[in-house]
Amino acid sequence: MTIDVVILAAGKGSRMRSDLPKVLHPIGGVPMLARVIGTARQLGEVDITVVIGHGAEQVREGFSDSGVRFVEQAQQLGTGHAVAQAIPHFRSGATVLVLYGDVPLVKSGTLQSLLSAADRGPALLSVEMANPAGYGRIVRDDAGRVLAIVEEKDADADTLAIREVNTGILAAPAELLSRWLPELSCDNAQGEYYLTDIIARSVSEEIPVTGVRASDALEVAGVNSRAQQAQMERALQQASAVALMNAGVTLLDPARIDIRGDLQCGTDVSIDINCVFEGSVTLGKGVQIGPNCLLRNCRLGDATRVEANTIIEDAHVGEACTLGPFARLRPGTQLAAGAKVGNFVEIKKARVGAGSKINHLSYVGDAVIGEAVNVGAGTITCNYDGVNKSLTEIGDGAFIGSNTALVAPVKVGDGATVGAGSTITREVGSEELAVARGRQRNVSGWQRPVKKT
Ligand code: UD1
Ligand code: CA
């Protein structure tokens, strides 16, 4: 099947009261339009046209390398007019699928059923609503065949009572849309060219219309305001939490986790409250995450434990590591198995070897640290001279005493020892002891100053 997808995204979204075009607002950390494009791509080799208008430049910029085509609808004259902008790009024999940039959670399986139903005539996606206010109503005959979609503003009292509404999402053969859309009239309550009018048109030509019902209202819900965005965000987070638990993850409170991207977990992972996962995060088997952690684009090996209030960004953490509480791993951090990073330790662009420990109050940046190294409390790599960044290298089994300043570029050899409080500016050979601090002098009989009268 040749599938031409048209995504409508020209509307202003005035109720968002935002300088950002509505479709660029995120749900679950991903711009709504990106979600829709991603779902469309799951249908196979599809051609995608996005109809833009308000905020067109910002939308184009945000999606410049997404492989979609943009067409501009200068004036928003209605959904039928919007889809018509894509007609020149319809391929012969294609089935056209109409999606919306502000209906972000639609599932590809549902779209697949809709497409299968649209090989000869239009297929529309409907949903039952307890409160259908604002939506186009699906009018069926006694035999249940779809006759028309009537917009709320054009509906009489009987029609308004119908609870089956139009989600807006539909599929239809390109040939039919190319013929019908240019002939739409705008003689209706809103003076718009309604896409929905193709349904009555199809019926008048005795081309059958199929109605496919969406099972889940969230899937077809649109976002028009910040409140709806927040509601949808909560609903998505709740669904993600349930999916994680079904996959064998313990969530201490499924209402207090936020996944803004993709979180993959091995079995028996446990996640305490108020953790945020952004981008692509992978947690190995048995990983334990304490409360209030932020993890962004990172991978944690099996059995690693992250204590409370730890932040991890663009980092690889090996198996059985211990992090935090209050640790911060910045981009480019790589910890080998069994490494320990304790409280108030910041690590950036550094490799830390297996079993090495940096337990308290340190900054380690631009460094390569071997295995079984002990970095004492308060140790700082002085990696920046105000202009350039330089490397600190520490060999296997080295012991760095507390409160050491390592002035990079500098090397400390395997098995070397650095005395506490040292400022190391020259290479320390392996197995050597380096002490670089003022010697202690004890003055006996010392008299403290006395207050002048
Ligand atoms: C539309 C449907 C209605 C359905 C409802 C579901 C029509 C005529 N009505 O009504 O049956 O129940 O969606 O939400 O289709 N857009 C453009 N260009 C335009 C007009 C709209 O890109 O010229 C985009 C908007 O950005 C929006 C979407 O199309 O994302 C829907 O447009 P809107 O005017 O809100 O349609 P509704 O009145 O809600
Ligand atoms: Ca609307």
Side-chain angles (χ1 to χ4, degrees):
M1 185 187 258
T2 308
I3 304 169
D4 288 346
V5 176
V6 181
I7 303 175
L8 303 194
K12 182 143 192 253
S14 8
R15 283 200 275 152
M16 294 295 283
R17 294 182 179 275
S18 174
D19 290 336
L20 190 69
K22 178 165 73 174
V23 297
L24 298 186
H25 282 262
I27 294 288
V30 179
M32 291 196 268
L33 180 57
R35 284 190 173 269
V36 179
I37 291 172
T39 306
R41 290 217 193 286
Q42 287 169 25
L43 299 168
E45 286 285 317
V46 298
D47 180 87
I48 302 178
T49 302
V50 181
V51 182
I52 50 177
H54 284 281
E57 275 323 300
Q58 269 175 288
V59 180
R60 265 183 211 278
E61 268 168 37
F63 288 83
S64 54
D65 45 4
S66 64
V68 302
R69 173 191 308 109
F70 289 101
V71 296
E72 273 193 54
Q73 185 195 23
Q75 274 184 295
Q76 281 69 59
L77 303 179
T79 49
H81 180 260
V83 177
Q85 307 309 304
I87 292 175
H89 305 289
F90 290 170
R91 294 173 293 175
S92 90
T95 306
V96 174
L97 173 65
V98 179
L99 300 176
Y100 298 83
D102 58 359
V103 181
L105 299 185
V106 66
K107 294 187 184 122
S108 62
T110 306
L111 299 179
Q112 203 70 66
S113 336
L114 196 65
L115 284 161
S116 312
D119 59 334
R120 287 173 42 244
L124 59 87
L125 187 64
S126 72
V127 69
E128 295 277 344
M129 280 197 181
N131 175 12
Y135 288 86
R137 309 297 205 276
I138 309 287
V139 181
R140 293 178 186 258
D141 67 13
D142 295 338
R145 285 179 298 239
V146 175
L147 293 180
I149 299 172
V150 179
E151 292 305 298
E152 165 128 336
K153 288 184 176 137
D154 301 294
D156 58 24
D158 285 348
T159 310
L160 287 175
I162 297 172
R163 297 248 191 98
E164 188 190 1
V165 305
N166 175 32
T167 64
I169 295 172
L170 63 77
E175 264 70 54
L176 296 178
L177 288 180
S178 305
R179 187 155 63 77
W180 292 338
L181 293 177
E183 292 172 10
L184 290 176
S185 115
C186 62
D187 181 16
N188 53 51
Q190 300 183 80
E192 286 181 9
Y193 296 95
Y194 291 163
L195 173 62
T196 45
D197 281 352
I198 67 158
I199 300 304
R201 176 73 190 264
S202 186
V203 170
S204 77
E205 291 188 20
E206 294 182 0
I207 300 170
V209 176
T210 316
V212 173
R213 278 175 218 246
S215 47
D216 157 14
L218 177 64
E219 202 195 332
V220 294
V223 171
N224 293 305
S225 63
R226 308 252 186 188
Q228 285 173 351
Q229 181 187 10
Q231 258 172 19
M232 182 174 287
E233 180 73 27
R234 282 306 100 209
L236 177 67
Q237 294 303 343
Q238 193 187 359
S240 307
V242 169
L244 279 175
M245 292 188 290
N246 288 342
V249 174
T250 298
L251 300 180
L252 276 92
D253 182 355
R256 284 182 288 172
I257 177 170
D258 284 83
I259 301 163
R260 301 176 189 152
D262 178 46
L263 172 61
Q264 298 290 331
C265 293
T267 48
D268 295 310
V269 163
S270 164
I271 301 172
D272 210 324
I273 59 166
N274 293 337
C275 292
V276 176
F277 299 88
E278 294 185 351
S280 166
V281 175
T282 305
L283 306 180
K285 287 183 195 170
V287 164
Q288 292 181 38
I289 311 286
N292 306 322
C293 294
L294 167 62
L295 280 72
R296 180 183 297 146
N297 296 320
C298 58
R299 209 160 60 210
L300 274 54
D302 294 352
T304 281
R305 230 175 63 223
V306 179
E307 306 280 8
N309 301 298
T310 292
I311 297 176
I312 306 176
E313 180 179 6
D314 292 307
H316 283 183
V317 177
E319 296 180 4
C321 291
T322 314
L323 309 178
F326 295 98
R328 180 174 182 208
L329 305 189
R330 290 173 49 204
T333 298
Q334 293 182 36
L335 306 184
K340 285 192 174 160
V341 175
N343 43 200
F344 308 109
V345 171
E346 173 181 349
I347 304 189
K348 183 217 76 169
K349 205 172 169 195
R351 288 206 312 266
V352 177
S356 290
K357 297 176 190 167
I358 311 168
N359 274 338
H360 330 267
L361 299 155
S362 284
Y363 171 62
V364 173
D366 301 293
V368 178
I369 296 179
E371 298 182 358
V373 170
N374 194 309
V375 176
T379 295
I380 305 290
T381 54
C382 308
N383 62 328
Y384 186 53
D385 59 11
V387 189
N388 298 302
K389 301 273 168 72
S390 302
L391 187 69
T392 299
E393 293 171 87
I394 301 176
D396 295 344
F399 182 97
I400 311 296
S402 296
N403 202 30
T404 293
L406 297 156
V407 182
V410 73
K411 283 184 192 176
V412 176
D414 291 351
T417 304
V418 173
S422 292
T423 298
I424 300 297
T425 54
R426 285 189 296 124
E427 176 163 353
V428 183
S430 47
E431 311 298 335
E432 284 182 338
L433 165 68
V435 185
R437 61 175 183 240
R439 257 182 192 283
Q440 180 170 336
R441 195 161 59 100
N442 292 356
V443 178
S444 53
W446 169 252
Q447 289 289 321
R448 291 188 188 169
V450 286
K451 186 128 183 133
K452 290 179 185 148
T453 48

